[in-house]
């Protein structure tokens, strides 16, 4: 399985920055528009990166003359190598985060693995003056969909790496190819891969998909289990971060995929001016409880319970206000190797929502408090709204 890097990801922001402040040529900014930072890569060759007012990378420009010999020059957004550059050395632009890459007419040589691991790169044109291309120039360029070859030599299509699989097969004039001949254009056709859905004693509602097409963000089916609430699908078993889309955030992957159905047992108990929520088999110590007195949820309030202590005290957040409340539950922790975090297994959480009005109906729904069903990355609003479970109408 591969996860393509997100566009303008912060994890690339510190790569290849110069260690010597003298390398910086100019740094200018505009609060309303963007910030440009330019510095020397090597003698006679410079790199300028532009970012917007929020710090997101927009584009990268490499300028100068002669052969670029420095390795792993990170490129972001829409990247351009300007006229005057004659050679790209081995691994010269490897591991960047660009979507487009424009090469100059002065370019004559492309080294081994020059573009390796540009996993966001979608299309490229090889200039006509290129007379030499090294081995594996596009190794692990898993999302490259279009190769225009204007040179006089054949260009090898992307290959899969040990961990990164290419999601496309390449065709020229309707024929599958491993090389793009001079003057030809290759178009990538998405491949199909096996999809495994682990039901955890549940059943699929409707048809069960067994394959997926690379690049299509398919919606996974619902599942049901008697006496339980379906919470969605997760990348690992015994997680509570249910999702509905195969690829949250549009982070596509190639290769055989597995998703695990997640279920929780939910019980509600109406009390005077309050109601009680109890979740069993819920694999997290965090819970978001949303309730509304209107069916359209126009006055919905959300209570987020997190960080329970041994004494059964948690913090409840209502709007922007935070206060301690009492909860009961059993939290059995076990360690995992993924980022060395502790997770929770087969616990139960019981929370009482106070200060409500007797005789009124309340529409309640639940979700995991975490805003990230796939790890540390921020998910879209659509993803968040798709993972509610435990819907119930309660009359106090």
């Amino acid at each position: 399985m591969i996860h393509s890097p997100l566009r303008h990801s912060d994890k690339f922001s510190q790569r290849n920055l110069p260690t010597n402040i003298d390398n910086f040529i100019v740094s200018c900014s505009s609060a309303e528009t963007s910030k440009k930072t330019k510095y020397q890569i090597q003698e006679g060759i410079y790199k300028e990166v532009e970012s917007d007012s929020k710090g997101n990378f927009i584009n990268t420009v490499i300028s100068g003359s002669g052969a670029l010999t420095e390795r792993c020059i990170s490129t972001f957004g829409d990247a351009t190598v300007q006229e005057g550059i004659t050679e790209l050395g081995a691994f010269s632009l490897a591991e960047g985060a660009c979507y487009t890459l424009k090469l100059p007419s002065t370019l004559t040589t492309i080294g081994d693995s020059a573009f390796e691991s540009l996993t966001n790169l979608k299309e490229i044109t090889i200039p006509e003056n290129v007379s030499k291309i090294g081995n594996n120039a596009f190794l692990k360029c898993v999302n490259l969909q279009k190769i225009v070859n204007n040179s006089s030599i054949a260009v090898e299509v992307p290959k899969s790496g040990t961990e990164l699989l290419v999601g496309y097969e390449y065709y020229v004039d309707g024929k599958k190819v491993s090389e793009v001949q001079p003057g030809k254009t290759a178009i990538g056709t998405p491949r199909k891969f096996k999809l495994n859905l682990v039901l955890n004693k549940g059943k699929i509602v409707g048809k069960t998909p067994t394959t997926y097409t690379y690049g299509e963000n398919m919606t996974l089916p619902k599942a049901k289990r008697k006496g339980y609430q379906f919470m969605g699908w997760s990348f690992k078993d015994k997680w509570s971060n249910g999702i509905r889309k195969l690829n949250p955030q549009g982070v596509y992957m190639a290769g055989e995929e597995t998703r695990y159905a997640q279920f929780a047992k939910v019980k509600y108990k109406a009390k005077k001016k309050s109601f009680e929520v109890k979740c069993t088999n819920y694999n997290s110590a965090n819970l978001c409880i949303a309730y509304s007195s209107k069916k359209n949820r126009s006055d919905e309030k959300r209570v987020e319970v997190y960080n329970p202590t041994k004494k059964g005290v948690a913090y409840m957040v209502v709007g922007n206000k935070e206060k301690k409340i009492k909860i009961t539950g059993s939290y059995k922790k076990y360690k995992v190797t993924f980022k060395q975090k502790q997770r929770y297994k087969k616990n139960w959480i019981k929370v009482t929502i106070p200060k409500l009005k007797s005789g009124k109906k309340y529409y309640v729904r639940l979700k995991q408090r975490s805003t990230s069903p796939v790890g540390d990355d921020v998910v879209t609003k659509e993803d968040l709204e798709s993972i509610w479970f435990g819907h119930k109408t309660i009359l106090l």
Side-chain angles (χ1 to χ4, degrees):
M1 181 178 78
I2 67 101
H3 283 217
S4 303
L6 297 178
R7 189 171 189 176
H8 313 321
S9 174
D10 286 340
K11 68 181 178 181
F12 293 104
S13 61
Q14 299 300 320
R15 280 192 184 176
N16 302 314
L17 291 182
T19 55
N20 188 339
I21 194 67
D22 293 335
N23 285 338
F24 277 93
I25 305 302
V26 63
S27 180
C28 57
S29 63
S30 170
E32 293 81 12
T33 54
S34 62
K35 177 181 180 180
K36 295 183 179 180
T37 303
K38 184 176 181 180
Y39 53 88
Q40 184 173 311
I41 297 174
Q42 62 186 58
E43 186 175 355
I45 297 181
Y46 308 91
K47 180 173 109 171
E48 181 178 87
V49 179
E50 182 180 4
S51 56
D52 62 21
S53 58
K54 296 181 179 179
N56 298 316
F57 295 113
I58 301 173
N59 60 56
T60 304
V61 176
I62 296 175
S63 60
S65 60
L68 174 60
T69 58
E70 191 73 18
R71 292 190 171 205
C72 297
I73 306 302
S74 292
T75 51
F76 310 99
D78 299 322
T80 300
V81 180
Q82 291 190 337
E83 298 295 317
I85 303 296
T86 58
E87 180 180 339
L88 297 177
F91 297 95
S92 58
L93 299 180
E95 300 186 8
C98 64
Y99 274 58
T100 65
L101 178 59
K102 185 178 180 181
L103 301 177
S105 63
T106 53
L107 190 66
T108 61
T109 303
I110 297 174
D112 293 343
S113 302
F115 311 116
E116 182 175 326
S117 297
L118 294 184
T119 53
N120 282 334
L121 186 63
K122 293 184 177 180
E123 62 178 82
I124 195 168
T125 298
I126 307 299
E128 61 181 346
N129 288 324
V130 172
S131 57
K132 182 180 179 181
I133 299 180
N135 296 322
N136 298 320
F138 296 108
L139 181 65
K140 297 186 281 188
C141 292
V142 296
N143 282 300
L144 190 56
Q145 300 171 24
K146 183 179 180 180
I147 304 171
V148 180
N149 185 13
N150 291 333
S151 75
S152 58
I153 57 175
V155 177
E156 191 177 50
V157 301
K159 290 183 178 180
S160 297
T162 305
E163 297 179 355
L164 300 179
L165 298 179
V166 175
Y168 298 92
E169 293 177 334
Y170 296 89
Y171 292 81
V172 174
D173 299 329
K175 183 180 179 180
K176 186 178 177 181
V177 298
S178 59
E179 290 184 334
V180 188
Q181 297 302 317
K184 295 294 184 178
T185 297
I187 302 297
T189 299
R191 299 167 62 188
K192 285 187 177 293
F193 296 97
K194 186 177 180 181
L195 174 63
N196 305 306
L197 297 180
V198 180
L199 294 176
N200 286 328
K201 299 181 181 180
K203 294 181 179 180
I204 293 290
V205 178
K207 295 182 179 180
T208 302
T210 57
T211 63
Y212 74 94
T213 302
Y214 182 78
E216 291 185 4
N217 200 357
M218 68 182 296
T219 299
L220 298 173
K222 292 182 179 180
K224 63 180 180 179
R225 179 181 173 186
K226 188 175 180 180
Y228 288 81
Q229 293 278 343
F230 176 56
M231 300 170 60
W233 303 89
S234 66
F235 286 89
K236 293 182 179 292
D237 202 7
K238 297 181 176 63
W239 280 22
S240 293
N241 47 0
I243 55 175
R244 295 291 190 269
K245 294 286 188 179
L246 178 64
N247 305 304
Q249 307 161 291
V251 180
Y252 300 117
M253 51 216 74
E256 183 174 330
E257 285 296 323
T258 301
R259 298 292 182 269
Y260 299 85
Q262 302 298 326
F263 299 94
K265 187 171 287 187
V266 181
K267 289 185 178 181
Y268 295 97
K269 184 177 181 180
K271 297 182 178 181
K272 185 178 181 180
K273 295 185 178 182
S274 67
F275 65 83
E276 182 182 89
V277 181
K278 183 178 180 180
C279 268
T280 307
N281 201 39
Y282 184 71
N283 304 310
S284 173
N286 305 324
L287 183 66
C288 177
I289 306 167
Y291 60 96
S292 173
S293 62
K294 297 180 180 181
K295 198 169 185 178
N296 64 5
R297 302 190 181 277
S298 59
D299 65 343
E300 185 172 80
K301 296 180 180 179
R302 299 185 183 184
V303 175
E304 299 184 6
V305 180
Y306 62 100
N307 296 334
T309 67
K310 294 181 179 179
K311 296 180 180 180
V313 177
Y315 290 96
M316 180 176 73
V317 179
V318 182
N320 294 323
K321 295 182 179 181
E322 182 181 274
K323 64 178 181 179
K324 288 184 178 181
I325 61 171
K326 289 184 178 181
I327 64 172
T328 58
S330 173
Y331 309 100
K332 296 181 179 179
K333 296 182 180 180
Y334 66 98
K335 291 185 177 180
V336 294
T337 56
F338 179 68
K339 292 189 178 180
Q340 298 300 314
K341 290 183 178 179
Q342 288 183 322
R343 298 203 179 279
Y344 296 80
K345 184 177 181 181
K346 293 183 179 179
N347 62 356
W348 56 273
I349 302 174
K350 186 164 67 176
V351 183
T352 297
I353 306 299
K355 297 183 179 180
L356 302 179
K357 294 182 179 180
S358 296
K360 292 199 68 171
K361 283 184 179 180
Y362 286 91
Y363 302 89
V364 187
R365 57 180 182 164
L366 311 173
K367 72 177 179 70
Q368 185 191 13
R369 190 196 69 84
S370 170
T371 58
S372 178
V374 292
D376 294 332
D377 297 321
V378 177
V379 300
T380 65
K381 183 178 180 181
E382 180 184 5
D383 290 327
L384 291 177
E385 291 300 317
S386 72
I387 56 178
W388 291 98
F389 67 98
H391 293 74
K392 182 75 173 180
T393 302
I394 301 174
L395 176 61
L396 299 187

